[in-house]
PDB file of all heavy atoms in Angstrom:
ATOM      1  N   ALA A 108      51.744-136.511  42.035  1.00  0.00           N
ATOM      2  CA  ALA A 108      51.602-137.466  43.136  1.00  0.00           C
ATOM      3  C   ALA A 108      50.375-138.353  42.920  1.00  0.00           C
ATOM      4  O   ALA A 108      50.419-139.571  43.164  1.00  0.00           O
ATOM      5  CB  ALA A 108      51.501-136.728  44.466  1.00  0.00           C
ATOM      6  N   ALA A 109      49.276-137.760  42.465  1.00  0.00           N
ATOM      7  CA  ALA A 109      48.072-138.542  42.197  1.00  0.00           C
ATOM      8  C   ALA A 109      48.305-139.527  41.056  1.00  0.00           C
ATOM      9  O   ALA A 109      47.921-140.701  41.133  1.00  0.00           O
ATOM     10  CB  ALA A 109      46.910-137.610  41.860  1.00  0.00           C
ATOM     11  N   LEU A 110      48.970-139.062  39.995  1.00  0.00           N
ATOM     12  CA  LEU A 110      49.226-139.939  38.850  1.00  0.00           C
ATOM     13  C   LEU A 110      50.169-141.080  39.222  1.00  0.00           C
ATOM     14  O   LEU A 110      49.985-142.223  38.785  1.00  0.00           O
ATOM     15  CB  LEU A 110      49.808-139.128  37.690  1.00  0.00           C
ATOM     16  CG  LEU A 110      48.853-138.110  37.047  1.00  0.00           C
ATOM     17  CD1 LEU A 110      49.599-137.237  36.049  1.00  0.00           C
ATOM     18  CD2 LEU A 110      47.691-138.823  36.356  1.00  0.00           C
ATOM     19  N   GLU A 111      51.156-140.765  40.036  1.00  0.00           N
ATOM     20  CA  GLU A 111      52.135-141.793  40.399  1.00  0.00           C
ATOM     21  C   GLU A 111      51.554-142.842  41.342  1.00  0.00           C
ATOM     22  O   GLU A 111      52.112-143.938  41.478  1.00  0.00           O
ATOM     23  CB  GLU A 111      53.358-141.134  41.038  1.00  0.00           C
ATOM     24  CG  GLU A 111      54.203-140.354  40.035  1.00  0.00           C
ATOM     25  CD  GLU A 111      55.235-139.449  40.693  1.00  0.00           C
ATOM     26  OE1 GLU A 111      55.344-139.502  41.945  1.00  0.00           O
ATOM     27  OE2 GLU A 111      55.909-138.704  39.970  1.00  0.00           O
ATOM     28  N   SER A 112      50.424-142.541  41.983  1.00  0.00           N
ATOM     29  CA  SER A 112      49.817-143.502  42.909  1.00  0.00           C
ATOM     30  C   SER A 112      48.863-144.463  42.210  1.00  0.00           C
ATOM     31  O   SER A 112      48.303-145.361  42.851  1.00  0.00           O
ATOM     32  CB  SER A 112      49.052-142.754  44.005  1.00  0.00           C
ATOM     33  OG  SER A 112      47.883-142.134  43.471  1.00  0.00           O
ATOM     34  N   LEU A 113      48.671-144.288  40.899  1.00  0.00           N
ATOM     35  CA  LEU A 113      47.714-145.121  40.179  1.00  0.00           C
ATOM     36  C   LEU A 113      48.184-146.567  40.084  1.00  0.00           C
ATOM     37  O   LEU A 113      49.386-146.834  39.966  1.00  0.00           O
ATOM     38  CB  LEU A 113      47.496-144.557  38.772  1.00  0.00           C
ATOM     39  CG  LEU A 113      46.582-143.336  38.704  1.00  0.00           C
ATOM     40  CD1 LEU A 113      46.759-142.613  37.400  1.00  0.00           C
ATOM     41  CD2 LEU A 113      45.136-143.771  38.877  1.00  0.00           C
ATOM     42  N   PRO A 114      47.235-147.503  40.090  1.00  0.00           N
ATOM     43  CA  PRO A 114      47.591-148.924  39.973  1.00  0.00           C
ATOM     44  C   PRO A 114      47.837-149.313  38.520  1.00  0.00           C
ATOM     45  O   PRO A 114      46.976-149.888  37.842  1.00  0.00           O
ATOM     46  CB  PRO A 114      46.347-149.625  40.526  1.00  0.00           C
ATOM     47  CG  PRO A 114      45.218-148.701  40.190  1.00  0.00           C
ATOM     48  CD  PRO A 114      45.787-147.300  40.289  1.00  0.00           C
ATOM     49  N   LEU A 115      49.015-149.006  38.014  1.00  0.00           N
ATOM     50  CA  LEU A 115      49.341-149.342  36.635  1.00  0.00           C
ATOM     51  C   LEU A 115      49.619-150.838  36.510  1.00  0.00           C
ATOM     52  O   LEU A 115      49.772-151.545  37.495  1.00  0.00           O
ATOM     53  CB  LEU A 115      50.543-148.531  36.175  1.00  0.00           C
ATOM     54  CG  LEU A 115      50.380-147.010  36.235  1.00  0.00           C
ATOM     55  CD1 LEU A 115      51.630-146.327  35.695  1.00  0.00           C
ATOM     56  CD2 LEU A 115      49.163-146.550  35.453  1.00  0.00           C
ATOM     57  N   GLY A 116      49.704-151.267  35.278  1.00  0.00           N
ATOM     58  CA  GLY A 116      49.991-152.674  35.047  1.00  0.00           C
ATOM     59  C   GLY A 116      49.032-153.325  34.076  1.00  0.00           C
ATOM     60  O   GLY A 116      48.866-154.533  34.069  1.00  0.00           O
ATOM     61  N   GLY A 117      48.391-152.518  33.217  1.00  0.00           N
ATOM     62  CA  GLY A 117      47.489-153.059  32.209  1.00  0.00           C
ATOM     63  C   GLY A 117      48.195-154.011  31.275  1.00  0.00           C
ATOM     64  O   GLY A 117      49.246-154.570  31.605  1.00  0.00           O
ATOM     65  N   PRO A 118      47.681-154.207  30.071  1.00  0.00           N
ATOM     66  CA  PRO A 118      48.251-155.174  29.144  1.00  0.00           C
ATOM     67  C   PRO A 118      49.735-154.963  28.862  1.00  0.00           C
ATOM     68  O   PRO A 118      50.460-155.913  28.575  1.00  0.00           O
ATOM     69  CB  PRO A 118      47.405-154.971  27.878  1.00  0.00           C
ATOM     70  CG  PRO A 118      46.118-154.402  28.361  1.00  0.00           C
ATOM     71  CD  PRO A 118      46.467-153.560  29.553  1.00  0.00           C
ATOM     72  N   ASP A 119      50.197-153.712  28.922  1.00  0.00           N
ATOM     73  CA  ASP A 119      51.604-153.432  28.619  1.00  0.00           C
ATOM     74  C   ASP A 119      52.429-153.165  29.878  1.00  0.00           C
ATOM     75  O   ASP A 119      53.613-152.852  29.807  1.00  0.00           O
ATOM     76  CB  ASP A 119      51.721-152.234  27.672  1.00  0.00           C
ATOM     77  CG  ASP A 119      51.061-150.977  28.243  1.00  0.00           C
ATOM     78  OD1 ASP A 119      50.569-151.040  29.397  1.00  0.00           O
ATOM     79  OD2 ASP A 119      51.038-149.959  27.548  1.00  0.00           O
ATOM     80  N   GLY A 120      51.811-153.254  31.054  1.00  0.00           N
ATOM     81  CA  GLY A 120      52.531-153.036  32.295  1.00  0.00           C
ATOM     82  C   GLY A 120      52.699-151.590  32.687  1.00  0.00           C
ATOM     83  O   GLY A 120      53.194-151.293  33.771  1.00  0.00           O
ATOM     84  N   THR A 121      52.295-150.642  31.816  1.00  0.00           N
ATOM     85  CA  THR A 121      52.491-149.222  32.111  1.00  0.00           C
ATOM     86  C   THR A 121      51.191-148.434  32.108  1.00  0.00           C
ATOM     87  O   THR A 121      51.191-147.261  32.440  1.00  0.00           O
ATOM     88  CB  THR A 121      53.448-148.582  31.090  1.00  0.00           C
ATOM     89  OG1 THR A 121      52.859-148.663  29.784  1.00  0.00           O
ATOM     90  CG2 THR A 121      54.790-149.291  31.081  1.00  0.00           C
ATOM     91  N   SER A 122      50.084-149.046  31.709  1.00  0.00           N
ATOM     92  CA  SER A 122      48.820-148.328  31.601  1.00  0.00           C
ATOM     93  C   SER A 122      47.878-148.744  32.736  1.00  0.00           C
ATOM     94  O   SER A 122      48.205-149.595  33.561  1.00  0.00           O
ATOM     95  CB  SER A 122      48.176-148.606  30.240  1.00  0.00           C
ATOM     96  OG  SER A 122      48.027-150.002  30.044  1.00  0.00           O
ATOM     97  N   LEU A 123      46.705-148.160  32.755  1.00  0.00           N
ATOM     98  CA  LEU A 123      45.694-148.502  33.742  1.00  0.00           C
ATOM     99  C   LEU A 123      45.186-149.930  33.518  1.00  0.00           C
ATOM    100  O   LEU A 123      45.463-150.533  32.476  1.00  0.00           O
ATOM    101  CB  LEU A 123      44.555-147.491  33.663  1.00  0.00           C
ATOM    102  CG  LEU A 123      44.885-146.109  34.248  1.00  0.00           C
ATOM    103  CD1 LEU A 123      43.857-145.082  33.820  1.00  0.00           C
ATOM    104  CD2 LEU A 123      44.964-146.178  35.769  1.00  0.00           C
ATOM    105  N   PRO A 124      44.414-150.478  34.464  1.00  0.00           N
ATOM    106  CA  PRO A 124      44.042-151.902  34.390  1.00  0.00           C
ATOM    107  C   PRO A 124      43.468-152.361  33.054  1.00  0.00           C
ATOM    108  O   PRO A 124      43.769-153.458  32.588  1.00  0.00           O
ATOM    109  CB  PRO A 124      43.022-152.041  35.522  1.00  0.00           C
ATOM    110  CG  PRO A 124      43.450-151.013  36.526  1.00  0.00           C
ATOM    111  CD  PRO A 124      43.969-149.859  35.718  1.00  0.00           C
ATOM    112  N   SER A 125      42.643-151.523  32.419  1.00  0.00           N
ATOM    113  CA  SER A 125      42.054-151.922  31.136  1.00  0.00           C
ATOM    114  C   SER A 125      42.879-151.476  29.938  1.00  0.00           C
ATOM    115  O   SER A 125      42.489-151.725  28.795  1.00  0.00           O
ATOM    116  CB  SER A 125      40.632-151.370  31.010  1.00  0.00           C
ATOM    117  OG  SER A 125      39.779-151.957  31.966  1.00  0.00           O
ATOM    118  N   GLY A 126      43.974-150.793  30.187  1.00  0.00           N
ATOM    119  CA  GLY A 126      44.844-150.387  29.093  1.00  0.00           C
ATOM    120  C   GLY A 126      44.759-148.932  28.703  1.00  0.00           C
ATOM    121  O   GLY A 126      45.425-148.500  27.752  1.00  0.00           O
ATOM    122  N   SER A 127      43.960-148.123  29.408  1.00  0.00           N
ATOM    123  CA  SER A 127      43.887-146.694  29.104  1.00  0.00           C
ATOM    124  C   SER A 127      45.193-146.006  29.461  1.00  0.00           C
ATOM    125  O   SER A 127      45.879-146.391  30.415  1.00  0.00           O
ATOM    126  CB  SER A 127      42.739-146.032  29.875  1.00  0.00           C
ATOM    127  OG  SER A 127      41.495-146.574  29.516  1.00  0.00           O
ATOM    128  N   ARG A 128      45.510-144.964  28.708  1.00  0.00           N
ATOM    129  CA  ARG A 128      46.707-144.172  28.972  1.00  0.00           C
ATOM    130  C   ARG A 128      46.302-142.787  29.463  1.00  0.00           C
ATOM    131  O   ARG A 128      45.268-142.251  29.083  1.00  0.00           O
ATOM    132  CB  ARG A 128      47.570-144.063  27.710  1.00  0.00           C
ATOM    133  CG  ARG A 128      48.211-145.380  27.322  1.00  0.00           C
ATOM    134  CD  ARG A 128      49.270-145.195  26.228  1.00  0.00           C
ATOM    135  NE  ARG A 128      50.026-146.424  26.019  1.00  0.00           N
ATOM    136  CZ  ARG A 128      51.090-146.780  26.724  1.00  0.00           C
ATOM    137  NH1 ARG A 128      51.517-146.005  27.700  1.00  0.00           N
ATOM    138  NH2 ARG A 128      51.724-147.912  26.474  1.00  0.00           N
TER     139      ARG A 128
END
Side-chain angles (χ1 to χ4, degrees):
L110 293 172
E111 289 167 5
S112 70
L113 282 163
L115 301 182
D119 57 3
T121 62
S122 55
L123 286 166
S125 294
S127 298
R128 291 191 171 275

